[in-house]
Amino acid sequence: MKAVIPAAGLGTRFLPATKAQPKEMLPVFDKPTIQYVVEEAVASGIDDILIITGKGKRSIEDHFDRSFELEYHLRENGKTDFLEQIESISELADIYFVRQKKQKGLGDAIYCSRKHIDGEPFAVLLGDTITRSKIPCTKTLMEVHEKYGASALAVETVPDEKIERYGIIKGKEVSPSTYLIEDMVEKPSSEVAPSNMAIMGRYVLESEIFDHIESIPPGFGGEIQLTDAMRLLDNIYGCVFDGKTFDIGNKVEWLKTSIEFAFEDPEARRDLVEYMREILD
Ligand code: UTP
């Protein structure tokens, strides 16, 4: 299965940091966000990845390319640990790029992948969302897709005050943690939302989705919404994600994620705890 990672958005919630650099390249502790996303696809068994980019996103391409000058420098200076890390990034998978000419929404970004996907089911991983779990989220969705022979997406329960940030589903439980989706709505208010189950940025979609994207008018915020196109699929399943999601498109969430990931490094944890005590005092 191929994967598509949309990363062409303007990142307006993170301005001015994202004026001249992609939010998907913002580091979370020691790696850019999009590298975690690519690693999830690879850990799910995917080796063909298409990244949707746009204006000002060249650094994403550079990050996954070889960097001969840097590699030479690290080799000459005996920095073999860094050298191995740098070389391995460009060997993670076959990574392709296509540009979304105008940021018309997530549905339109996905539509840019149709020629590369060429009629097969495919995975979608949002470039600004990191997941952590025992079994990679995308792998679980691939298994649900295989079991039911239909599209699948990951959902998680969110508190009322966060409902209006997400696409929300209404579903009927067909097996533990799996729902047959009856309806979904993009960014509803908590009063009209059909549930608290939010679509969190991981999907496996049948290629019919492209016909549906073509057929829908702009939706919420005047954008071509993937949620509106997914409502037209014959069958789609929602799978409750057994793990943790980190949305780095939001400044405070990004900072929290950076701290949480840094805490996994014992040395950084020690330093940070000491520093936090200091500033709290
Ligand atoms: P978001 O809606 O979170 O990204 O889309 P955004 O539009 O960049 O964010 P704000 O609201 O302006 O701050 C989720 C993912 O879809 C991509 C984004 O790059 C992000 O990774 N996306 C979004 C596109 O590729 N194209 C679009 O037109 C919109």
Side-chain angles (χ1 to χ4, degrees):
M1 190 177 282
K2 294 174 183 170
V4 175
I5 302 180
L10 296 173
T12 50
R13 282 169 297 153
F14 224 126
L15 283 169
T18 47
K19 185 180 173 215
Q21 66 170 332
K23 73 171 159 183
E24 296 79 7
M25 284 299 290
L26 292 172
V28 170
F29 189 42
D30 60 353
K31 277 191 267 187
T33 302
I34 196 163
Q35 189 177 329
Y36 292 98
V37 181
V38 166
E39 286 170 354
E40 179 190 325
V42 172
S44 304
I46 294 172
D47 64 0
D48 181 313
I49 298 170
L50 177 71
I51 301 180
I52 315 293
T53 66
K55 193 174 174 310
K57 304 273 182 171
R58 272 301 295 272
S59 59
I60 299 180
E61 294 180 40
D62 290 341
H63 184 70
F64 292 104
D65 198 0
R66 295 286 300 268
S67 175
F68 294 107
E69 226 172 280
L70 179 61
E71 288 169 25
Y72 175 80
H73 175 84
L74 294 172
R75 196 171 295 114
E76 286 294 291
N77 289 281
K79 297 188 173 166
T80 43
D81 277 5
F82 283 130
L83 179 63
E84 277 167 25
Q85 276 184 40
I86 294 305
E87 282 177 337
S88 69
I89 296 170
S90 57
E91 285 159 13
L92 278 169
D94 291 334
I95 302 187
Y96 304 89
F97 298 91
V98 64
R99 281 168 82 103
Q100 182 187 20
K101 304 274 176 337
K102 196 168 174 232
Q103 279 68 23
K104 289 193 278 186
L106 180 58
D108 180 68
I110 304 292
Y111 191 70
C112 297
S113 70
R114 69 197 180 284
K115 289 190 181 143
H116 187 85
I117 295 303
D118 199 21
E120 297 293 318
F122 62 105
V124 174
L125 299 86
L126 297 193
D128 64 351
T129 304
I130 300 173
T131 69
R132 279 282 168 96
S133 51
K134 272 203 203 107
I135 302 170
C137 184
T138 298
K139 187 165 195 278
T140 305
L141 292 180
M142 288 161 76
E143 285 164 6
V144 173
H145 170 263
E146 173 128 9
K147 180 172 171 192
Y148 291 99
S151 301
L153 53 80
V155 292
E156 69 181 358
T157 307
V158 293
D160 282 356
E161 64 273 17
K162 285 192 176 171
I163 281 184
E164 61 184 26
R165 292 192 202 166
Y166 297 93
I168 301 291
I169 69 152
K170 176 181 173 213
K172 186 175 77 189
E173 196 165 17
V174 288
S175 67
S177 303
T178 308
Y179 291 78
L180 176 60
I181 297 179
E182 294 167 331
D183 201 4
M184 51 190 128
V185 43
E186 187 60 32
K187 302 189 174 69
S189 66
S190 61
E191 291 83 43
V192 301
S195 76
N196 277 51
M197 278 188 291
I199 302 171
M200 39 139 298
R202 297 292 185 266
Y203 318 74
V204 169
L205 298 171
E206 291 289 339
S207 64
E208 284 80 63
I209 195 71
F210 296 119
D211 296 335
H212 298 319
I213 295 173
E214 224 173 65
S215 76
I216 54 167
F220 184 89
E223 296 190 341
I224 302 290
Q225 296 289 353
L226 181 62
T227 306
D228 295 341
M230 290 190 302
R231 290 180 77 215
L232 304 175
L233 288 166
D234 286 338
N235 273 331
I236 179 161
Y237 290 84
C239 186
V240 180
F241 175 48
D242 184 17
K244 197 162 175 190
T245 308
F246 303 90
D247 171 13
I248 66 91
N250 167 310
K251 291 175 199 183
V252 176
E253 291 297 323
W254 167 77
L255 199 53
K256 285 184 190 168
T257 310
S258 301
I259 293 171
E260 190 164 331
F261 282 33
F263 269 26
E264 289 169 9
D265 178 289
E267 203 176 317
R269 185 189 173 94
R270 220 175 19 250
D271 281 3
L272 272 173
V273 169
E274 209 171 291
Y275 175 68
M276 282 172 179
R277 281 206 187 104
E278 231 172 80
I279 53 173
L280 286 172
D281 283 347

